[in-house]
Amino acid sequence: MKENGRKHGALSPCAACKLLRRRCAPDCVFAPYFPADEPQKFASVHKVFGASNVNKMLQELPEHQRSDAVSSMVYEANARVRDPVYGCVGAISSLQRQIDSLQNQLALAQAEVVHMRMRQFGSTSSNPGTNSADENIASVADAPSKFMPSHHQSKSFFCVDMVDQPNIAESLWSY
């Protein structure tokens, strides 16, 4: 049975103490956050921040914030290992460019749908010779229920619903 990365009975050093080749004290600040079975977690944090700096950061924080701080350090360290120049900012910029591209593609697809519906509306009107193109456009704008499902009517035409896509990029949380 384990608790905080240590086995009951025999003291197993945490990943930090094991990597630093030192004895793991019962009050080790690293032990709760860097268990022995996840050595890569501390290795990447140590490589980027250094053990001394991580120790100082953890000791300056209240205990209830330390877990979140370690998660952030692990994320940033893994991002820095993959991209030493930009780190997290590179990943964020890449995802932002992807969002911009997808929003542009969506806007083009929505414009094409409107164009096709306008053409369809123009060809199915009861008196095609009496309505001008401007009147057809006005009637399409005034009657969205003919062309859109009711759950889309209240949204902006270019509204983008974000869909969770977990496999877009490799996770930076694990190494």
Side-chain angles (χ1 to χ4, degrees), residues 85-165:
V85 175
Y86 295 109
C88 287
V89 175
I92 292 168
S93 295
S94 174
L95 291 171
Q96 186 60 50
R97 283 190 304 272
Q98 231 177 350
I99 288 170
D100 292 343
S101 173
L102 291 171
Q103 284 176 330
N104 287 336
Q105 289 176 19
L106 178 63
L108 289 172
Q110 287 173 330
E112 189 175 336
V113 167
V114 167
H115 179 71
M116 293 172 79
R117 286 182 178 164
M118 286 175 44
R119 286 177 53 201
Q120 181 183 11
F121 180 74
S123 67
T124 61
S125 73
S126 58
N127 296 326
T130 60
N131 288 346
S132 70
D134 291 336
E135 289 172 345
N136 284 341
I137 292 171
S139 64
V140 168
D142 292 338
S145 61
K146 293 180 183 177
F147 303 101
M148 293 179 140
S150 61
H151 65 278
H152 287 293
Q153 290 177 19
S154 64
K155 293 184 178 182
S156 165
F157 192 73
F158 291 103
C159 175
V160 177
D161 291 333
M162 298 308 290
V163 177
D164 187 22
Q165 296 178 338

